[in-house]
């Protein structure tokens, strides 16, 4: 069954701790994205990657980092520099070889502060 | 600045009533617009896109460049339409990046 898998579903972070959210896709998509979803604010883009070994900052990249060593994987690290990390995080991918292909989303990870 | 605005946080209608979820955008180039939907306990998924000019689940949306709007409409709402709806804009070019609106929760009452 093709799709995007995010793990874990729930994650708790202690003060000063970095945590990494996993995102894997088997859709053979080049482009991958990380969004943060907060109530009343819609989805805001954190980072995106259009190809392996390349990524760009989105609108709210401060306090986050990513890597794209494999086409299938785009992990997001929430660093201790992110002062308000409590949110729902969504990963998405799309086929960017053709214009305006839809983005496919995972189930999300809910991150909370302990 | 590029922006997508959905003015209603919550839209509540009775079954069989017409539905219009509003979306306005701000973008100087040629926008590509989408509606995404998230049903309860399901993933966010594409509902429709303006370039396809299609009707999905009875929903349609017309791009009005003069009014910079892309409102989502359905003549007769069904209970299963209850969900969170997001309007999204893709900038011209092929980056695939989307700008999302704040979302509107549609509640269809029996």
């Amino acid at each position: 069954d093709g799709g995007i898998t995010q793990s874990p579903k729930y994650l708790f972070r202690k003060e000063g701790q970095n945590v990494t959210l996993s995102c894997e896709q088997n859709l053979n998509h080049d482009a991958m994205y990380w969004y943060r979803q907060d109530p009343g604010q819609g989805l805001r883009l954190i980072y995106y990657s259009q190809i392996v070994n390349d990524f760009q900052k989105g609108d709210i990249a401060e306090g986050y980092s990513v890597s794209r060593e494999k086409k299938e994987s785009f992990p997001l690290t929430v660093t201790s520099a992110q002062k308000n990390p409590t949110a729902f995080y969504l990963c998405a991918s799309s086929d960017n070889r053709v214009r305006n292909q839809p983005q496919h989303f995972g189930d999300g990870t809910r991150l909370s502060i302990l | 600045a590029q922006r997508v605005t959905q003015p209603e946080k919550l839209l509540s209608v009775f079954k069989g009533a017409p539905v219009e979820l509003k979306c306005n955008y701000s973008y100087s180039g040629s926008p590509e617009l989408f509606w995404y939907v998230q049903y309860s306990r399901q993933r966010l998924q594409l509902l429709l896109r303006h370039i396809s000019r299609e009707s999905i689940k009875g929903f349609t949306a017309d791009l009005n460049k003069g009014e910079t709007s892309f409102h989502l409409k359905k003549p007769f709402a069904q209970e299963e339409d209850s969900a969170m709806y997001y309007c999204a804009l893709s900038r011209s070019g092929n980056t695939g990046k989307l700008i999302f609106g704040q979302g509107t929760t549609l509640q269809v009452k029996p």
Side-chain angles (χ1 to χ4, degrees):
Chain A
D1 184 27
I4 297 186
T5 302
Q6 288 187 243
S7 62
K9 202 168 182 179
Y10 300 96
L11 187 57
F12 297 91
R13 195 190 91 170
K14 294 179 182 177
E15 291 289 337
Q17 185 183 42
N18 293 353
V19 291
T20 297
L21 286 63
S22 169
C23 178
E24 305 276 332
Q25 55 101 356
N26 61 5
L27 299 167
N28 199 33
H29 287 165
D30 284 314
M32 296 187 74
Y33 313 83
W34 273 106
Y35 294 93
R36 173 179 168 137
Q37 189 176 28
D38 294 283
Q41 295 196 53
L43 279 71
R44 292 181 291 166
L45 184 64
I46 304 172
Y47 267 98
Y48 67 103
S49 168
Q50 295 195 63
I51 199 165
V52 174
N53 292 322
D54 186 53
F55 50 83
Q56 284 82 40
K57 292 182 179 180
D59 300 316
I60 54 165
E62 187 174 347
Y64 300 98
S65 66
V66 294
S67 63
R68 187 84 188 278
E69 297 175 2
K70 297 188 297 181
K71 187 175 187 177
E72 304 78 23
S73 179
F74 191 39
L76 173 75
T77 296
V78 184
T79 75
S80 56
Q82 172 49 246
K83 297 307 177 190
N84 183 24
T86 298
F88 191 60
Y89 292 87
L90 281 171
C91 179
S93 72
S94 67
D95 179 1
N96 60 352
R97 292 170 297 174
V98 179
R99 283 191 64 177
N100 298 310
Q101 291 302 294
Q103 292 189 10
H104 297 254
F105 287 83
D107 286 325
T109 293
R110 188 166 297 281
L111 175 62
S112 302
I113 296 297
L114 280 178
Chain B
Q2 296 98 18
R3 188 168 55 244
V4 175
T5 303
Q6 293 177 248
E8 301 139 329
K9 259 188 168 178
L10 172 67
L11 183 62
S12 186
V13 301
F14 285 102
K15 177 182 170 182
V19 170
E20 182 178 68
L21 288 88
K22 291 187 175 8
C23 172
N24 289 90
Y25 67 89
S26 171
Y27 179 56
S28 56
S30 276
E32 306 285 354
L33 285 144
F34 306 81
W35 277 99
Y36 281 80
V37 61
Q38 189 168 27
Y39 300 103
S40 179
R41 303 188 189 284
Q42 292 188 30
R43 298 181 177 192
L44 189 62
Q45 59 188 287
L46 178 72
L47 179 63
L48 56 78
R49 43 187 158 171
H50 91 270
I51 56 169
S52 301
R53 303 187 67 81
E54 57 203 342
S55 173
I56 302 292
K57 300 185 178 184
F59 284 98
T60 59
D62 290 318
L63 178 61
N64 185 323
K65 290 187 177 181
E67 295 183 0
T68 59
S69 68
F70 187 57
H71 303 328
L72 183 68
K73 300 178 185 179
K74 185 169 182 176
F76 308 104
Q78 303 299 315
E79 288 181 69
E80 55 265 30
D81 296 328
S82 296
M84 173 72 93
Y85 292 80
Y86 289 99
C87 182
L89 176 152
S90 175
R91 288 161 268 205
S92 55
N94 202 24
T95 66
K97 287 169 56 179
L98 291 174
I99 300 170
F100 283 87
Q102 302 92 320
T104 298
T105 299
L106 174 63
Q107 185 183 76
V108 182
K109 296 179 283 191

